C-alpha cells in the first residue's frame, strides 16, 4: 500500500522531532489527529528555520558566486 511509507515517515518524524509521544501513541492515533500534529510540527520547523536563517544573516534568495575579472597586465 502507498499509505504505509507515509504513515511510518510521519511516525518517525513525530517521534524524532517532537517530544511527548510514544510510538504506540502515534501509531494508534486517529489519522486526523496525527495529520494535525504532523502539520503543526512541519510549520514549527519551518518557522524555526526562518528564524535561524534570519539570525545568521541568510536570505531566501540564492546568492550568486563571486565573479572574477582577469585583467591583462
Amino acid at each position: 500500500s502507498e499509505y504505509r511509507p507515509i504513515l511510518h515517515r510521519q511516525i518517525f518524524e513525530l517521534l524524532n522531532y517532537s517530544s511527548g509521544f510514544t510510538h504506540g501513541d502515534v501509531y494508534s492515533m486517529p489519522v486526523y489527529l496525527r495529520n494535525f500534529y504532523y502539520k503543526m510540527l512541519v510549520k514549527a520547523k519551518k518557522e524555526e528555520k526562518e528564524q535561524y536563517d534570519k539570525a545568521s544573516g541568510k536570505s531566501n534568495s540564492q546568492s550568486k558566486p563571486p565573479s572574477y575579472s582577469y585583467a591583462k597586465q
Side-chain angles (χ1 to χ4, degrees):
S1 164
E2 293 179 25
Y3 177 69
R4 187 163 285 179
I6 295 168
L7 167 67
H8 288 280
R9 178 177 170 213
Q10 286 182 344
I11 291 172
F12 174 81
E13 291 182 2
L14 283 169
L15 292 176
N16 284 296
Y17 302 116
S18 66
S19 60
F21 293 118
T22 66
H23 182 273
D25 292 338
V26 177
Y27 192 80
S28 63
M29 190 179 285
V31 173
Y32 75 94
L33 275 180
R34 189 180 62 250
N35 285 336
F36 170 78
Y37 287 119
Y38 184 76
K39 288 177 185 177
M40 294 302 291
L41 173 65
V42 169
K43 180 181 175 185
K45 289 297 180 181
K46 283 182 181 179
E47 290 172 359
E48 185 179 298
K49 182 184 182 313
E50 288 171 4
Q51 290 175 357
Y52 173 81
D53 289 347
K54 185 177 179 180
S56 65
K58 294 182 181 178
S59 66
N60 288 339
S61 63
Q62 294 180 349
S63 61
K64 295 181 181 179
S67 61
Y68 299 100
S69 60
Y70 296 100
K72 292 184 178 182
Q73 294 183 9

